[in-house]
Amino acid sequence: MTQHNHQDEKKPFPWHLVIFLAPALLIYITFSVYPLLDTLFLSLFNSQDGNSTFVGLQNFITLVTDDNWSHAFWNALLNNFKFFVIHMLLQNPIGLLLAILLSSPKLRLSGTYRTLIFMPTMLSVVIIGFVWQLLLSPIWGISEDFLYNIGLGQYFDAWLGKEGSALITLSFISVWQFVGIPMMLIYATLLNIPDDIVDAGTVDGANPLQTFWYIKLPLILPTIAMVSILTFVANFNAFELIYAVKGALAGPNFSTDLMGTFFYRTFFGFQLQQGSASMGAAVATLMFLIILVGVMLFLFFVQRRIQRFQF
Amino acid sequence: MSNAHSNLSVSKYAIATAVMLSSVGMVNAAGTLTIESWRSDDANIWSDVIIPAFNKSHPDTKVNFAPTPPTQYNSALQAKLQAGTAGDLITCRPFDTSLTLFTSGYLDSLNDVQGLNEFSDVAKSAWVTDDGKDQFCLPMASVIHGFIYNKEIFKELNLSVPKTRDEFFTVLDAIKSESRYSPLAMGTADQWESATMGFQNIGPNYWKGESGRKALLEGKAKLTDDAYVDTWKELAQWKPYLGRGFEAQKYSDSQNLFTLGRAAIYPAGSWDIQTFNNQADFEFGAFPPPVAKNGDSCYISDHTDIGIGINANSKNKEAAAELLNWMASQEFAELFANAVPGFFPLSNHKIAIKDPVAQEFISWRDQCESTIRNSYQILSRGTPNLENQLWNVSAQVINGTMTPEAAAQETQNGLEQWYAPQQ
C-alpha cells in the first residue's frame, strides 16, 4: 500500500510513450486525419473552371436536390443498400453455417474445405470479376450448358447485362468471394468456446440444436455483430468489382451504380466528362457520414446490448 | 554453331547495353526531345521507323518517345506538367482535355508553325480555341467509322455489299435466316460501342455530317429533330440481328466473335483493322454506313483522335517546332499511316496506304464528306455530359428498354440544362 502511494507521488510523465507512439501518430495524421479533413474542407468549395470559390454547403444541396445529381445520388445509395442487404442476408448466415459445419469434430478434411472456401477472398477482385464474366457469358460461358444439362436451360439469361438482374448477380459474386471472412472469424470464436460449458449443457440434457441455440450462439453474437459492421463498411466502400465488371458508368443504365462508382465518376471524371474535385469531395463526405451514422447506430443499439449480455 | 550463337547473343547484349547507356546520356544532352504519349502500343514503331526517318534529315536532334499507359495518361501528364518534368512534346487528346491544358498555360500556341497549313479546318477543329484564334496541337491521326465484313461468309451466302439501308437490312435478314452466323457482332455491355460504333457511325448520314453537327452547336437543331430520332430508330432495328445475350457481350467478345468467323458484319472503328489483321484468318473488307437511297450523298465519321503540341515550359522549343513541322510532312504521314493501319493522317497530302482494308476506309474520304463525333466539341463540357448520356441512351435503345423518342428527349433535356445556345 505504501509502495503504491510512493509511486503515485513520483510518477514522471511517460515521455517514452509519446516517443514510441509518435511515428504511428504522425503517419496516421498525415495519411488519414489530414486527407479526411482536407476532403471535408474541399467539399465546401466550387472548383469549376480552375477557380476555387467558397460556396458553403451548396455542393451538398446540389447533390441532394438538383435533378442532374440527385437522381444519380439516390440511385447509387439505394443500390448500395440493396448490395448491403443481400450480403447481410446471404454472406453472414452462410458464413455462420459453414463455420458450424467446419467446427464439427465429425467432419473430415475440414482444413481443406477451410482453405478452399477462404481462397477467393485472397484473389484480386479483377480476376474474380473476369472469371465470373466468363462463366456467365452467354457467348463463351459454361453456365448455359450447365443449366441445360440439369433441365433448367430455359431459365438462362444474360444476367450481367440486364437492368433487373445485374446488381443481384454482382452481389452474389461478391458474397461468393467474401463468405470466407465471416466464416473464419466465427470459426475462430467457436473454437474458443470452452468445452466444459458445452459439456455441462450436454450433461443437463441439451440436444445439439439446443446447445447451439442457447450456449454457442450467445457466445458468438459479438463476433457476428462485428462481422455485420465490417460488412456494412465494406459494402459502402465497394467499388472494385463493379468497376472491373461494368466500368465506371455502372451499366446497364446505372443499375449497378454504387456510391463508389458514383464518386469515381464525379471526382476523376469519365470519358469526356471532366472531373470535379469539390463535387467529388462532397460525395465522399456524404459516404463518410453515411458510414459514420451506420457505425454509430450500431454501437448505440447493438454493441451495448451485447456487452450487457456478456457480463 | 552454338558457339557462334552465344557469341552473337553476347554481342547483342553488348550493343543493347551500349545503346542503353548512350540513351541515358542522350536524355541529359541538349537537343534531346522527349515525347509524352498514351500510345504505348506504338513505342516500337517510333523507335524503329519514325525516329530513324526523322534523324535522316535532322541528325543532331535526338528524340525519346516516352509513353504512359492510356488510362493513366491524363493524370500522369497533369502531374508532370505541374511539377515541370513533362517532355518537350505532348500528345494531345482531342477537345476539352487538351484545351484545358492550353488555357492553363501548359501548351504553346502553334499559330506560327508552318506545317499547320497542310491541314483542313475540320482536321484542326479538335485542338483550337472556341473562338478559332489559337491552334495548340498539330493534328496527327484520325479514325474512321464504318462496317467491317467477313468476305467468306458473304461469298458463301451469295451476298453483295449493301449500299442503301434497305439492302443493309436485306443482307442482315439473309444472314439471320440462311445461316448460323450472327449478322452483327456488337454488344451493349460496355455501352460505348452503342454510341460510338452505332449512333456516331450511322448518324452522320441522317444529320448530314458537319452541317448537322454545327447546327447542333449553334442551337439551330435539336436532338429531338427527325435526324436524331431516326438514327436511334435504325439502331433499335439492330436488336434482332445481334447475337444471343448481347446485353452482356463486351467489346472484346464482339472482336472475338468476328475474328472466329461466328459473325458476319462488325460495326467498326478503323482502329480494329490492326486487331483483325493479327487475329482473323479469313479475308475481310469494309463498307461505309449505308445511305437512304442510291446516289444520296454520304457522310462518314472521320474522327480526330490524336494531336501533338509543344510544352510551354520546354527548353528545346526550336527543335520541337522542327519536329512538328516534319510531322506535318508527307513523309511522316506515309510512315505513320502504314506503320499503324487504321490511324489515318489528317494532312491534305496524297499518300499511299498498303493495307487493303485501311485503303478501303480512307478511300471513302473521296466519295463522302467527313465529320467528327457530334458530342466531342463543346457539347460534353457540362453536366449532364452529352457523350456519357449518348452511351447510356443508345445502349438502352438497342436493348429495347427505351424508345428512340425518349432517348432524343432525354439527351435534349440534358443539353438544355447547361448549354446556352440550346436553351
Side-chain angles (χ1 to χ4, degrees), chain A residues 10 31 40-41 48 71 80 88 107 110 127 138 142 161 163 171 188 201 218 224 232 254 263 282 285 303 310:
Chain A
K10 284 203 159 182
F31 294 104
L40 298 184
F41 192 58
Q48 300 257 290
H71 179 71
N80 241 142
M88 280 302 282
L107 183 78
S110 67
I127 294 173
I142 56 161
E163 272 182 55
S171 31
I224 293 177
F232 179 78
F254 301 108
F263 164 74
T285 306
Q303 191 79 348
Q310 266 186 305

Side-chain angles (χ1 to χ4, degrees), chain A residues 32 36 39 76-77 79-81 83-85 87 125 174 177-178 228-244 256-264 268 280 283-292 294-295:
Chain A
S32 249
L36 183 69
T39 307
L77 190 61
N79 284 338
N80 241 142
F81 270 106
F83 200 65
F84 169 62
V85 167
H87 277 78
V125 182
S174 172
Q177 181 179 10
F178 290 115
S228 309
I229 199 70
L230 282 179
T231 312
F232 179 78
V233 175
N235 278 320
F236 272 85
N237 285 328
F239 164 75
E240 307 96 312
L241 184 68
I242 310 290
Y243 186 72
T256 56
D257 201 18
L258 300 184
M259 293 295 281
T261 39
F262 178 50
F263 164 74
Y264 180 89
F268 294 103
V283 177
T285 306
L286 282 183
M287 276 171 82
F288 172 70
L289 289 178
I290 290 163
I291 293 174
L292 196 70
V295 173

Side-chain angles (χ1 to χ4, degrees), chain A residues 126-146:
Chain A
V126 179
I127 294 173
I128 300 279
F130 182 69
V131 167
W132 276 97
Q133 276 185 77
L134 271 184
L135 289 175
L136 296 176
S137 163
I139 304 151
W140 325 107
I142 56 161
S143 52
E144 188 177 4
D145 281 344
F146 176 76

Side-chain angles (χ1 to χ4, degrees), chain B residues 3-17:
Chain B
N3 223 349
H5 183 257
S6 67
N7 278 342
L8 186 69
S9 57
V10 165
S11 61
K12 251 188 190 168
Y13 278 124
I15 292 171
T17 317

